[in-house]
Structure formats: structure tokens, C-alpha cells
């Protein structure tokens, strides 16, 4: 089943390199569309900002479609009004009456949609969008401190898996730092 909430969710997860839980708990009030950022509560409880690029900036207004409050990402069905499965009032959209999209449901939908692209046919996890974003930034030459700023990892050592760029990077760095090469360039 395809939902209008999914493509923007996946795009936002990739663009921000944020943790899926941070994005799934966003409310419309947390978004700053003008400056392409959102206020999130990080894993440690701190209030931080995540930033997105043009593709997300184009798709978010269509996703919100007149809604000005409540969860950004919604489930496909209306939330139960009462009973043990009824969500908290803050997790229900005041316009559509749909509940907030849960992590397990978002993960299931992403795995299902990505299974045909995955060589193992298992589908990918939402967390892999974060990893992909950081790996692509590292491959594009971003430094570990830049990756740390983007991902909001507490410790630089946590980024080791992203900055292993291989022999080509080592050769380029060596050539750029070579004093003889610098003299020839001028």
C-alpha cells in the first residue's frame, strides 16, 4: 500500500541524516519551511535542528496540504477514538483525525518498498537511509567534523564507518600535501 506520507518521509530521512524516531515524532509546529530545518529532540534529549535540501523543500508543502498543527507523518487510517489502542491527543492530526505514523509501520512499509531493489530481497531499514546519506557525504569529500555536524553524533569516533574512503582518497591527500606538487602548480 502506498501512502502520500512515505516518499516525503524517506526523502527527509535521507536529506537530514536524522534518526528515524526524531523525524517520526515531528509535529508541523517543529518545521521551519523558510529556512529548511526542523527542531528535533535528539537521542540524548537535547533540542537540535536538522536541515534538508531542495527535493524535501518542494515536497513538504504538498504533504502538509493546509494542515497547520499535529504530526507531520500520519498513518493510513483514522486513529481509534477510545480503547487501549487510542493514541494520545497530541498524536492525532486535528484535520484528518489520523494518528501519527509509528516506527514499526514506517519500517515495514520501507522494507516492503525497497525489497525489490535489495540484492538480498529483504528490504532496507529506515536507519540505512541515515547511513547512506552519511556515506555519500563522506564519498563527496566531507570531513569527519562536517559529518558529525550533519548527523549530530556525540563522538567523532562514531563516524569511523563513514570516513573509510580507501586508497584513492589517501593518494589524493598525499598528492595535495606534497610540497613538490604545490611548487609545480604555481
Amino acid at each position: 500500500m502506498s501512502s502520500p506520507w512515505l516518499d516525503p518521509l524517506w526523502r527527509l530521512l535521507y536529506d537530514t541524516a536524522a534518526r528515524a524516531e526524531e523525524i517520526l515524532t515531528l509535529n508541523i509546529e517543529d518545521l521551519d519551511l523558510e529556512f529548511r530545518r526542523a527542531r528535533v529532540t535528539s537521542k540524548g534529549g537535547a533540542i537540535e535542528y536538522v536541515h534538508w535540501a531542495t527535493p524535501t523543500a518542494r515536497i513538504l508543502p504538498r504533504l502538509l496540504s493546509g494542515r497547520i498543527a499535529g504530526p507531520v507523518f500520519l498513518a493510513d487510517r483514522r486513529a481509534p477514538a477510545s480503547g487501549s489502542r487510542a493514541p494520545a491527543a497530541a498524536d492525532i492530526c486535528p484535520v484528518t483525525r489520523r494518528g501519527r505514523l509509528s516506527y514499526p509501520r514506517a519500517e515495514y512499509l520501507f522494507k516492503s518498498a525497497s525489497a525489490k531493489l535489495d540484492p538480498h530481497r529483504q528490504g532496507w531499514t529506515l536507519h540505512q537511509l541515515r547511513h547512506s546519506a552519511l556515506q555519500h557525504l563522506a564519498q563527496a569529500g566531507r570531513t569527519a567534523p562536517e559529518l558529525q555536524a550533519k548527523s549530530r553524533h556525540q563522538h567523532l569516533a562514531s563516524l569511523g564507518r563513514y570516513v573509510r574512503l580507501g586508497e584513492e582518497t589517501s593518494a589524493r591527500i598525499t598528492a595535495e600535501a606534497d610540497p613538490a606538487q604545490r611548487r609545480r602548480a604555481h
Side-chain angles (χ1 to χ4, degrees):
M1 173 181 282
S2 180
S3 169
W5 321 113
L6 298 180
D7 290 341
L9 170 62
W10 302 337
R11 184 79 235 176
L12 187 60
L13 286 170
Y14 181 82
D15 271 358
T16 62
R19 293 170 188 89
E21 195 63 38
E22 294 169 336
I23 299 302
L24 287 167
T25 58
L26 281 176
N27 288 322
I28 294 170
E29 303 88 329
D30 299 321
L31 302 177
D32 182 345
L33 298 176
E34 181 181 358
F35 292 103
R36 297 181 179 186
R37 66 183 188 166
R39 183 181 58 241
V40 298
T41 303
S42 71
K43 190 163 74 171
I47 302 298
E48 298 177 326
Y49 285 88
V50 296
H51 299 86
W52 58 81
T54 300
T56 298
R58 288 184 179 144
I59 205 168
L60 274 177
R62 288 189 302 239
L63 170 71
L64 302 178
S65 183
R67 297 185 300 131
I68 58 169
V72 173
F73 297 101
L74 304 173
D76 288 334
R77 298 187 177 123
R78 286 190 176 197
S82 62
S84 62
R85 297 182 53 90
D91 289 332
I92 299 174
C93 173
V95 174
T96 67
R97 305 305 303 158
R98 296 182 191 282
R100 184 182 305 279
L101 180 63
S102 70
Y103 189 102
R105 181 69 177 157
E107 178 99 314
Y108 169 79
L109 293 169
F110 186 62
K111 279 186 163 218
S112 297
S114 62
K116 58 184 162 254
L117 302 172
D118 178 8
H120 304 290
R121 301 290 185 228
Q122 300 293 308
W124 296 310
T125 65
L126 293 173
H127 195 68
Q128 284 173 299
L129 289 166
R130 177 175 167 86
H131 287 288
S132 293
L134 294 172
Q135 285 172 338
H136 294 152
L137 289 170
Q139 289 167 351
R142 294 299 178 185
T143 65
E146 288 174 322
L147 295 176
Q148 184 179 27
K150 180 70 174 171
S151 67
R152 298 165 298 105
H153 276 93
Q154 292 295 313
H155 305 286
L156 206 52
S158 303
L159 297 168
R161 69 182 338 186
Y162 308 111
V163 293
R164 287 187 222 145
L165 300 176
E167 181 186 354
E168 297 85 17
T169 303
S170 176
R172 181 180 49 79
I173 292 169
T174 303
E176 289 172 0
D178 185 341
Q181 285 285 39
R182 285 195 301 241
R183 277 195 295 270
R184 276 184 254 161
H186 295 290

